[in-house]
Structures are given as C-alpha cells and as structure tokens.
C-alpha cells in the first residue's frame, strides 16, 4: 500500500473535527433514527441466514444452555456429559443460564442435558439464532455510543464499516458465536475512556473480562492508561482513585467468581478457562506469526533431510496439545505457553510506553486495538476469529487520517477473507463472497467520497489513464497486488485444486489461505507498530 504523507485541505480537516457539544441535542433524534435504520438492515440480513450452515459451536452453546439449566452451579465447570464442556468465564455462564429459561419455555428438549445432545430441531435453531441476533443490541449501542459526538458524515461511514461488518456476520450469524455483544461491551468501555469517564470504562472492561477472558490481552494497556490518566492529581488523590478503581474491579470479579470460590470450584474453573494442552495453533491455523514459524520449521527439516541429515519426525501435534515431553517441531525450538506470553508482552510494550508517556483519551482505542493485534500475532492457540477484536475497534478510528483509512480498507478485506474456511460448504460460498465484495465496494465508495476529490481523466496528477482517480484515497501498487492475489489464491483453492489434485493434499487450500492472509496480518501489525513508535 502507498504510505505517502498526504496533506488534507480545510474541508477534510473540518470533517475530522467533532461537532460542538451544544449542537448535539438538536441532531440526536435524527441521527438515532438513521442509526436504527442501519441496525434494522443488518438485523434483517442476519435473520435471512437463520437456515444457513452452523458449526459445532452451535452445539457447544446449546450444551451450555442445558448444563447451566439442569445442574447446580457447583457442577457447571466439572460436567462432562458432552465433550463441549464449559470453558468461558462465569458471567458468560450466567448469560447462558439466563437464556436457558426462555429456551425451556420454547422447547424443554433444548435444555435437557442428555435428550438435547446434538439437537438440530427447527425450534433449537430458531432460538439460538435469535439469541445471537438480539444480543447484538449491545454491539449496536456500543457503536452508537462511541460515534455519537462525531460529524454526521463520519458517523454514517463508521456505521457502514462496523454495523455491517461482514466478519461478524460470518462468525456470529453463520458459523455461530456471540462475538457481537462482547465487542459491544469493549466499545462501551472505549467510549467511556474517550469521554474521560475512566471509572465507567474500567468497570465495563472488568465486566467484559468476566464474560470472555481472551480480551485480557489489552489489560496491561488499560492498567497503564488508567494509572496515568485516572489516578493522577498528586499522591493522596491518585492513591484514593487507585483504591476506588481497584475496588470496582475487585467487586466485579467477586460477583463473577465468588460463588465458585464458595463452592470450592475455582481451581476447576481456571483449569477449564486455560487449557494450555490444546496446542500452539487451532485446527485451522490462524494467519499469524506462528504460521511462518511452523512452515519455516518444515522447510528446514525438508532441506536437512535432502542434505543427508537425519531429522526425527515430530510425534506431537501443533493443534492437539503436547504429548509427554515431545516437540511438534522437527528443527526449531518448541514454543511453550510461557514463551508465547513473553512475546505478546514484549510486542505490546511500545503501546504501554505510549500510554505511560502520553495517556490521551483520543488515542486509547488505537492502543487497545494494537494490543489485540499483538495477542493475535503471538498468542497461544489463537482462533482466526480473534482478528475481530482489533478489526472492529480500528473501524472506529478509520477516518482519523487517509492512511488509517487505507490501512483499514486493506486489513478488513484480509481479515474477512481469512474467515472463509469457517464456511466450507458449497452453498455458503456465494454468501461469503458476496458479503466480502459488498463490504469492499461500500468501503471503497465511502472512503473515496470522504477523503478524495474527483480527478478528471488525464489530470496532471495521474500517471496514466488506468490509475484510481481519487486525489487522496489511493491504494498503492503493493496493496492492489496483494488484494488481487487473494482472488488468485481463492480460485486456486476453490476451483483448480479439486480439478488438478482431486482428493490429494486436502489441507493445501486451507494452508494457502492461512499463509497468504498471514502476510497481510503481519503487514497490518507492522503498520500499527510503526505508527505507535512514531508517536512516542
């Protein structure tokens, strides 16, 4: 992508300014009305997908409904009636418990611990699909809250990027999960921090961690930022605020984990939440740093064997956990959870330094997004779906500058494409392609309109008649080449592989997507890192 520094004219500068607070009440009603239309269109699209494919995560969450409804709290994290045991923090278990009451009224089989196993009745599908769709109200509120003070043109464009995000539709409303309302909580927290409501922001983030602990990657950023921004004003005042914030966080965690401590189940809860034996990578390799580490290990092993060296084949799995003390790597050192954690913390350190030196509310969303990028790139057993943790927050700041817009345009396409393997059935192929193409088109026209001015064909700024005719929002040759490569990779994996190789090398299409998307994700991480280092 082209990273030239581009000057904004006065019109663009005015667009990036927030509207005065005094004028907000006059326009609030109109904008809320428009936002509801955006949300309604997204909701109707999701409802159309109710009969579509769903993954094993559908049965995972159905089983969680059953065990929380049928068993006492003391057995929630020890039950093994189904292989899909409860491994989310307590607030999510309480959420499932709450949903189970409505499920039992609709169809008691849904919440039956044994009779409901692998239930795929129409009522089961309808209830679970609707539960995800309705819970997206939290996502919509989070998006509305964090954009409510922006200029209307900014606001509408960000709504297009976030409310209609194709990755969330693929993961939550096809594959099946509850990422939308969790990301809504994150946005509520970030909006509070941006508005100077630090106590509310810390409280919302603590609640989020008790729903899904994988969001804890950003906890160091929150700690440093709140310590420097909220706990300021001298030793006495700062210490007092630290006590207040700490008390709020402790109260949230006590409400979540206290009942399990009382029942002597806390060890079992933590063991379920942190199953390090699952291995370095997920079954489908997330497009992160470890993809290249694994492939480099395999390449080295291949070359050493060709050179006559004896290389012992690994007996353990990258995805299923370690077997004894054996290593899943043939040549390179084994990666342990501790090594992964150290790499994540080291990679996050620049944004911690930024938060310490200059704790600006306007920068906190970017810092948190970068932290989640680090967790995605170097974390242990990362799922490809975790890219949503930073893609959605980056949508909120995509209009900060033209460079941010180009980066987001590139990243959101790569992230969405990396999720394609989640929908492997033929009937879902047109859906995921159409979602990505519509998203790319809406982004292109929206961002071009926001940043660019029309350049007539043959204008002196154009190097040829074939260039993209926008003054500012121009995707460079690198970005264009990479994005066109996605088309090539998809054609090879979807159409040429079955014809040329048949049933041979069935893993090859997935590996191609993972490796190719990994280059894009690595580029995005480096781009964010460069921005943060440059701003320190």
């Amino acid at each position: 992508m082209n990273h030239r520094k581009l000057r904004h004219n006065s019109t663009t500068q005015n667009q990036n300014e927030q509207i005065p607070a005094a004028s907000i009440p006059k326009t609030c009603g109109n904008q809320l009305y428009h936002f509801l239309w955006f949300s309604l269109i997204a909701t109707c699209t999701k409802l159309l997908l109710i009969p579509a494919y769903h993954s094993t995560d559908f049965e995972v969450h159905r089983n969680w409904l059953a065990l929380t409804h049928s068993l006492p709290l003391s057995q929630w994290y020890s039950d093994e009636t189904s292989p899909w045991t409860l491994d989310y923090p307590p607030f999510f278990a309480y959420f499932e418990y709450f949903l189970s009451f409505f499920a039992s009224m609709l169809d008691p089989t849904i919440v039956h611990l044994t009779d409901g196993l692998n239930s795929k009745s129409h009522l089961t599908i309808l209830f679970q699909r609707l539960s995800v769709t309705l819970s997206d109200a939290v996502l919509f509120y989070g998006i509305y809250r964090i954009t409510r003070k922006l200029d209307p043109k900014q606001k509408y464009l960000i709504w297009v990027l976030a409310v209609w995000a194709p990755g969330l539709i693929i993961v939550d409303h096809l594959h099946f999960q509850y990422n939308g309302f969790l990301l809504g909580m994150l946005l509520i927290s970030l909006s509070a921090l941006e508005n100077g409501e630090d106590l509310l922001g810390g409280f919302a983030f603590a609640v989020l961690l008790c729903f899904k602990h994988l969001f804890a990657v950003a906890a160091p950023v929150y700690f440093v930022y709140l310590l420097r921004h909220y706990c300021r004003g001298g030793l006495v005042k700062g210490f007092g605020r630290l006590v207040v914030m700490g008390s709020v966080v402790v109260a949230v965690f006590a409400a979540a984990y206290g009942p399990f401590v009382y029942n002597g189940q806390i060890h079992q809860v933590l063991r379920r939440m942190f199953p390090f034996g699952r291995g370095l990578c997920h079954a489908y390799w997330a497009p992160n740093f470890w993809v290249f580490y694994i492939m480099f290990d395999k390449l080295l092993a291949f070359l050493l064997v060709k050179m006559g060296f004896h290389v012992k084949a690994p007996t353990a799995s990258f995805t299923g956990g370690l077997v004894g003390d054996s290593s899943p790597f043939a040549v390179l050192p084994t990666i342990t959870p501790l090594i992964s954690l150290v790499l994540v913390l080291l990679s996050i350190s620049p944004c911690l330094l930024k938060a310490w030196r200059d704790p600006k509310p306007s920068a906190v969303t970017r810092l948190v997004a970068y932290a989640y990028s680090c967790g995605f790139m170097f974390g242990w057993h990362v799922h490809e779906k975790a890219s949503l943790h930073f893609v959605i927050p980056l949508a909120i700041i995509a209009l900060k500058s033209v460079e941010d817009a180009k980066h987001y345009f590139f990243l959101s396409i790569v992230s969405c494409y990396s999720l394609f393997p989640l929908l492997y059935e033929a009937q879902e192929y047109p859906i995921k392609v159409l979602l990505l193409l519509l998203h790319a088109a809406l982004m292109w026209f929206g961002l071009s309109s926001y940043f660019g001015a029309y350049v007539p064909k043959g204008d002196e700024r154009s190097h040829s008649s074939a260039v993209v005719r926008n003054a500012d929002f121009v995707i460079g040759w690198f970005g264009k080449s990479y994005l066109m490569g996605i088309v090539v990779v998809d054609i090879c994996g979807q159409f040429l592989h079955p014809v040329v190789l048949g049933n041979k090398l069935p893993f090859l299409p997935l590996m191609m997507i993972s490796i190719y998307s990994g280059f894009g994700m690595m580029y995005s991480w480096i781009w964010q890192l460069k921005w943060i280092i440059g701003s320190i």
Side-chain angles (χ1 to χ4, degrees):
M1 293 175 67
N2 188 356
H3 290 287
R4 297 175 301 167
K5 297 287 185 181
L6 299 173
R7 290 188 304 168
H8 293 277
N9 56 31
S10 59
T11 302
T12 305
Q13 290 174 347
N14 290 337
Q15 289 172 339
N16 285 328
E17 295 174 357
Q18 293 184 340
I19 59 177
S23 65
I24 292 175
K26 301 177 183 178
T27 58
C28 185
N30 254 353
Q31 291 168 6
L32 178 59
Y33 173 78
H34 292 151
F35 182 78
L36 290 176
W37 271 108
F38 274 85
S39 304
L40 182 61
I41 292 170
T43 301
C44 290
T45 302
K46 295 166 185 176
L47 292 176
L48 291 173
L49 300 174
I50 287 177
Y53 159 83
H54 56 260
S55 71
T56 53
D57 279 339
F58 185 87
E59 171 59 18
V60 170
H61 288 280
R62 190 220 57 80
N63 183 61
W64 293 359
L65 289 172
L67 69 88
T68 54
H69 188 83
S70 305
L71 298 175
L73 180 143
S74 60
Q75 297 180 32
W76 285 2
Y77 286 90
S78 58
D79 177 72
E80 295 184 352
T81 304
S82 165
W84 313 117
T85 53
L86 181 59
D87 58 5
Y88 273 28
F91 274 178
F92 202 96
Y94 302 153
F95 172 67
E96 295 279 7
Y97 180 59
F98 169 75
L99 291 179
S100 72
F101 285 100
F102 301 97
S104 64
M105 289 187 285
L106 185 66
D107 182 2
T109 305
I110 298 175
V111 294
H112 197 284
L113 202 57
T114 54
D115 293 351
L117 287 174
N118 299 309
S119 173
K120 295 182 180 179
S121 69
H122 293 305
L123 287 178
T124 304
I125 293 172
L126 180 64
F127 175 80
Q128 295 207 196
R129 290 292 198 193
L130 288 178
S131 69
V132 177
T133 302
L134 293 175
S135 68
D136 275 352
V138 180
L139 171 68
F140 295 153
Y141 174 71
I143 295 171
Y144 180 77
R145 193 181 197 280
I146 203 169
T147 60
R148 70 189 189 278
K149 293 183 180 179
L150 298 179
D151 175 85
K153 190 173 183 180
Q154 278 186 312
K155 193 175 298 189
Y156 296 153
L157 186 48
I158 291 175
W159 292 349
V160 169
L161 302 180
V163 176
W164 296 349
L168 276 174
I169 295 176
I170 289 174
V171 173
D172 282 7
H173 301 277
L174 285 164
H175 178 80
F176 193 84
Q177 276 194 345
Y178 290 88
N179 292 280
F181 93 92
L182 296 172
L183 286 167
M185 290 184 198
L186 176 64
L187 295 180
I188 291 169
S189 173
L190 292 174
S191 69
L193 296 184
E194 288 188 358
N195 291 333
E197 302 168 306
D198 291 346
L199 193 61
L200 175 60
F203 169 78
F205 185 67
V207 171
L208 174 61
L209 295 187
C210 293
F211 269 94
K212 191 169 184 179
H213 53 302
L214 299 183
F215 283 93
V217 175
V221 179
Y222 268 82
F223 177 79
V224 173
Y225 175 81
L226 291 172
L227 185 65
R228 293 287 290 162
H229 188 265
Y230 179 70
C231 303
R232 59 185 177 180
L235 181 61
V236 176
K237 184 179 179 181
F239 181 75
R241 288 192 165 192
L242 179 63
V243 171
V244 171
M245 180 65 74
S247 300
V248 169
V249 173
V250 169
V252 171
F253 276 79
Y257 293 92
F260 297 94
V261 173
Y262 177 79
N263 284 284
Q265 290 290 304
I266 191 62
H267 175 74
Q268 181 66 20
V269 173
L270 296 177
R271 190 177 69 85
R272 284 281 182 84
M273 287 171 54
F274 299 99
F276 293 119
R278 286 182 177 177
L280 176 63
C281 298
H282 191 240
Y284 159 54
W285 297 347
N288 58 14
F289 173 78
W290 302 122
V291 168
F292 304 107
Y293 191 86
I294 292 169
M295 294 311 299
F296 187 53
D297 178 78
K298 293 184 178 297
L299 177 62
L300 284 178
F302 174 79
L303 293 176
L304 289 174
V305 169
K306 287 293 184 181
M307 294 167 62
F309 291 95
H310 174 70
V311 177
K312 185 178 180 181
T315 57
S317 167
F318 294 108
T319 62
L322 301 180
V323 179
D325 295 324
S326 61
S327 170
F329 297 98
V331 180
L332 296 178
T334 297
I335 302 300
T336 64
L338 179 60
I339 293 174
S340 175
L341 175 62
V342 170
L343 286 176
V344 170
L345 293 177
L346 286 175
S347 62
I348 289 176
S349 59
C351 75
L352 298 181
L353 181 60
K354 169 70 175 175
W356 180 267
R357 286 189 171 184
D358 189 19
K360 287 183 178 179
S362 59
V364 70
T365 298
R366 189 188 300 274
L367 298 181
V368 169
Y370 172 74
Y372 287 129
S373 298
C374 294
F376 182 85
M377 293 305 299
F378 304 104
W380 180 268
H381 199 77
V382 173
H383 289 230
E384 63 287 339
K385 303 178 283 289
S387 63
L388 296 172
H389 293 182
F390 53 92
V391 171
I392 299 301
L394 286 174
I396 306 301
I397 60 171
L399 304 184
K400 293 281 187 179
S401 71
V402 70
E403 296 300 330
D404 282 308
K406 290 192 288 185
H407 169 248
Y408 181 77
F409 179 84
F410 178 88
L411 172 63
S412 62
I413 291 176
V414 175
S415 171
C416 183
Y417 181 65
S418 73
L419 299 173
F420 272 27
L422 294 176
L423 309 178
Y424 58 88
E425 294 186 352
Q427 61 265 31
E428 270 73 46
Y429 182 77
I431 297 176
K432 61 187 181 184
V433 171
L434 184 60
L435 285 172
L436 178 54
L437 292 179
L438 283 174
H439 179 64
L442 287 171
M443 280 197 301
W444 175 254
F445 287 113
L447 295 174
S448 297
S449 172
Y450 183 80
F451 285 103
Y454 180 77
V455 181
K457 197 171 182 177
D459 186 276
E460 60 182 3
R461 287 175 290 181
S462 302
H463 298 292
S464 71
S465 60
V467 300
V468 179
R469 293 179 293 175
N470 292 92
D472 289 330
F473 187 74
V474 180
I475 304 301
W477 67 268
F478 172 79
K480 291 176 185 175
S481 301
Y482 180 89
L483 294 177
M484 286 303 299
I486 289 179
V487 179
V488 175
V489 170
D490 199 57
I491 290 174
C492 290
Q494 189 71 26
F495 302 105
L496 296 184
H497 178 269
V499 174
V500 177
L501 296 176
N503 294 326
K504 297 178 181 178
L505 304 178
F507 61 87
L508 187 59
L510 291 179
M511 189 174 71
M512 290 170 59
I513 293 175
S514 184
I515 293 173
Y516 195 77
S517 299
F519 283 110
M521 290 295 187
M522 184 65 75
Y523 166 82
S524 172
W525 176 74
I526 293 172
W527 188 93
Q528 295 177 68
L529 176 62
K530 182 180 177 182
W531 189 97
I532 289 173
I533 291 176
S535 67
I536 295 177

